[in-house]
Amino acid sequence: MKFRRPVIYLLTAFFLQAAVPPLALGAGTAASDQPENRLLLWYRNYDSPPVRSLVSLALQKTPEYPPYTLARSPEMSQGRVVRELSKPDSKLLDIANIASSTDREKKLTAVPIPIDGGLLGLRVCVVRKEDLPKFDGITTLKDLADSGIRIGQGTHWPDSSILQVNGIEVVTHSRYEILFRMLDNDRFECFARGVSEVLYDLRLKGNTDYVIEPDILLAYAMPSFFFVNKGNESLAHRLQLGMERAILDGSFAAFLDRFYGQPIRELNLGARHILVLDNPFLSRDSWQVGQRTLQDLRTRIHRMQD
């Protein structure tokens, strides 16, 4: 994947911007009812307020492009998302926000700006209350690997391979929803969720038996990008241009603070034991972006918690 040079310079800027008052970000704009103006967003992203809002923000920042209607895709696994977006004539999907990997960048076109400021590569454990004592005394990656704790992840998620190559036992399923049932049934002890998504997950589930383990933070470079079909360069350019404009005018910083400021504060990230994992599955460009975002994110966390 070749990054446009302005993006590299912009990345650091949006992490270190001072937070500004949140903007009212809509889910879509007025659009024609013609089918060619309909953009299908992966259902998991469409149902996620932050992701859907960011797509809308990027599209709103590019009024020189045609009007659009943002719609929810059929429900499908992350593996099928990649397969559908690889098809030049897919009628089921146009845009998906998923974690980057070398394989995905070969098959699809990525918009190389991490949509959540790198938070997807920071993971905490959702656990059952009764399992909390199993995490006592874990302060290093070796401690975690030696503890016998199993981590639940999606079959097609890059995280599964990252955890495995770092010596962690992983239990997988292709459907996100089933993984919570597996946690209930003691198939694993930790459902590792991104800092940017875990609070929303738990509000949605409403299960008082779930808690967030308070002391461990898994950290690895894993930028989360918007992906489109390789033949849809117009849409890729529009999303990137819209996000670059949002970075420059401050609305991206407002977006980050609105949706991700609370998790950074509430999860007390700066006080956790940081277990750093290697991610050998990134392209060189994405690895550089991932490393930079992790460094800048650490600065942002400390600023917000001072």
Side-chain angles (χ1 to χ4, degrees):
M1 175 178 61
K2 249 191 165 35
F3 288 173
R4 289 169 52 191
R5 184 171 295 274
V7 175
I8 300 298
Y9 297 112
L10 287 167
L11 284 171
T12 301
F14 75 72
F15 287 117
L16 300 181
Q17 287 183 67
V20 295
L23 301 179
L25 305 178
T29 63
S32 164
D33 291 331
Q34 296 300 315
E36 58 266 25
N37 289 331
R38 186 180 67 165
L39 295 175
L40 286 167
L41 179 64
W42 182 34
Y43 87 98
R44 287 279 310 282
N45 300 154
Y46 190 91
D47 292 346
S48 167
V51 181
R52 185 176 170 189
S53 291
L54 184 57
V55 174
S56 295
L57 177 63
L59 296 174
Q60 290 164 10
K61 293 290 179 182
T62 51
E64 65 269 36
Y65 283 82
Y68 70 94
T69 298
L70 196 59
R72 187 179 189 266
S73 82
E75 297 188 6
M76 63 184 80
S77 70
Q78 198 166 134
R80 188 178 176 195
V81 163
V82 176
R83 293 193 298 273
E84 283 298 326
L85 281 180
S86 300
K87 300 176 182 177
D89 57 350
S90 175
K91 305 299 182 186
L92 301 180
L93 192 62
D94 295 302
I95 309 169
N97 165 235
I98 51 178
S100 189
S101 70
T102 302
D103 180 63
R104 290 174 175 183
E105 290 176 16
K106 287 178 181 176
K107 295 177 179 176
L108 310 172
T109 294
V111 178
I113 302 175
I115 72 114
D116 58 3
L119 288 178
L120 191 64
L122 298 183
R123 300 229 155 200
V124 294
C125 285
V126 175
V127 306
R128 298 180 303 168
K129 288 178 182 177
E130 63 195 73
D131 285 335
L132 274 175
K134 297 179 181 179
F135 294 81
D136 290 346
I138 295 178
T139 61
T140 67
L141 186 59
K142 185 177 186 304
D143 290 341
L144 181 61
D146 292 345
S147 70
I149 287 173
R150 300 161 297 177
I151 293 183
Q153 291 287 270
T155 303
H156 304 291
W157 300 357
D159 311 78
S160 299
S161 298
I162 295 168
L163 291 164
Q164 288 169 337
V165 300
N166 283 274
I168 308 300
E169 184 177 355
V170 180
V171 179
T172 66
H173 196 280
S174 61
R175 289 298 299 267
Y176 155 83
E177 295 84 359
I178 301 299
L179 285 161
F180 279 101
R181 295 186 212 168
M182 294 171 71
L183 178 63
D184 294 336
N185 293 327
D186 199 29
R187 296 285 303 279
F188 49 80
E189 291 75 32
C190 161
F191 187 7
R193 300 297 291 145
V195 166
S196 58
E197 58 197 3
V198 65
L199 296 179
Y200 177 74
D201 283 352
L202 294 188
R203 283 197 301 270
L204 199 63
K205 290 298 173 185
N207 187 333
T208 57
D209 189 44
Y210 296 153
V211 294
I212 299 171
E213 194 283 327
D215 297 321
I216 297 171
L217 180 65
L218 302 171
Y220 40 90
M222 194 179 71
S224 172
F225 297 147
F226 288 125
F227 283 89
V228 303
N229 179 268
K230 272 193 175 293
N232 202 347
E233 289 297 323
S234 176
L235 179 56
H237 289 159
R238 180 176 187 175
L239 290 169
Q240 181 162 330
L241 178 61
M243 292 178 72
E244 288 176 356
R245 287 174 176 173
I247 290 168
L248 292 173
D249 70 15
S251 52
F252 194 102
F255 161 82
L256 289 176
D257 188 64
R258 176 185 175 188
F259 287 105
Y260 303 127
Q262 179 188 358
I264 289 175
R265 290 184 287 264
E266 192 169 323
L267 296 174
N268 198 22
L269 302 186
R272 291 171 174 264
H273 297 295
I274 302 176
L275 312 188
V276 180
L277 288 75
D278 182 41
N279 180 0
F281 304 105
L282 291 175
S283 68
R284 186 175 126 185
D285 284 336
S286 285
W287 185 88
Q288 290 175 340
V289 170
Q291 291 297 316
R292 175 59 62 87
T293 55
L294 282 180
Q295 293 167 9
D296 293 341
L297 187 56
R298 183 171 295 186
T299 301
R300 184 177 175 84
I301 288 169
H302 287 313
R303 282 188 177 181
M304 294 184 72
Q305 295 190 323
D306 284 344

